[in-house]
Amino acid sequence: MSDMYRDLILEHHRYPHNFGTLDPHDVSQEEHNPLCGDRIRLDLRIVDGKITEVAFSGKGCAVSQASASMLTDELIGMDIERARQYGKDDLLDLIGLPLDKNPVRLKCALLSLKALKVGVYRYLGQQLDADDLD
Ligand code: ZN
């Protein structure tokens, strides 16, 4: 892991963006990663098909929490349809980590994405293809 990416992860872990919960919310989804003990709850407020507010809470390793923090910044103002299509590669690009060779870390990094996808699909009343996430 390069120093730049490691520093970014540590910075987001120490000072997470959009940390907290939303009440009321349109989506609230909690997921957990038993491999590492990470938990992420993601709350969204959706107006006219756009994500207008985002908050996350949780605990766990630096990668899981920093990934959630970076994802929340990305989600504000995003169309719900774009969020539905947001994928693994998008998230890995966003956090800038080459995690494809480390499956345990990958689960940590993708936990926030799982909360997003499960929550958004549920909001839209659609069935999520679990292959999307593994
Ligand atoms: Zn973890």
Side-chain angles (χ1 to χ4, degrees):
M1 196 185 296
S2 84
D3 285 351
M4 193 180 88
Y5 293 136
R6 195 190 58 208
D7 288 351
L8 187 62
I9 295 271
L10 292 178
E11 179 75 11
H12 274 270
H13 184 224
R14 197 169 301 146
Y15 305 107
H17 299 186
N18 309 300
F19 194 84
T21 57
L22 297 178
D23 187 20
H25 48 247
D26 297 294
V27 171
S28 180
Q29 186 65 38
E30 183 166 335
E31 294 294 330
H32 106 277
N33 170 18
L35 292 176
C36 182
D38 308 318
R39 279 185 186 281
I40 294 288
R41 172 181 158 179
L42 186 68
D43 290 1
L44 306 175
R45 216 170 269 163
I46 298 166
V47 178
D48 295 335
K50 261 194 200 315
I51 297 171
T52 56
E53 286 180 75
V54 184
F56 87 96
S57 54
K59 57 184 166 57
C61 69
V63 170
S64 68
Q65 305 301 304
S67 150
S69 173
M70 288 185 236
L71 181 62
T72 57
D73 279 346
E74 183 88 342
L75 290 175
I76 294 171
M78 190 184 280
D79 284 349
I80 193 75
E81 180 56 24
R82 170 75 185 113
R84 189 179 71 82
Q85 292 171 3
Y86 201 86
K88 207 164 25 174
D89 292 340
D90 296 313
L91 185 75
L92 294 180
D93 279 354
L94 177 70
I95 63 179
L97 278 179
L99 289 163
D100 49 317
K101 292 190 174 64
N102 187 334
V104 174
R105 275 292 179 238
L106 191 61
K107 290 273 185 202
C108 298
L110 294 178
L111 186 61
S112 54
L113 180 66
K114 186 172 182 189
L116 173 69
K117 303 284 282 198
V118 172
V120 164
Y121 271 76
R122 182 171 291 167
Y123 174 79
L124 294 170
Q126 296 175 356
Q127 191 70 40
L128 177 62
D129 182 355
D131 291 350
D132 263 15
L133 299 167
D134 292 322

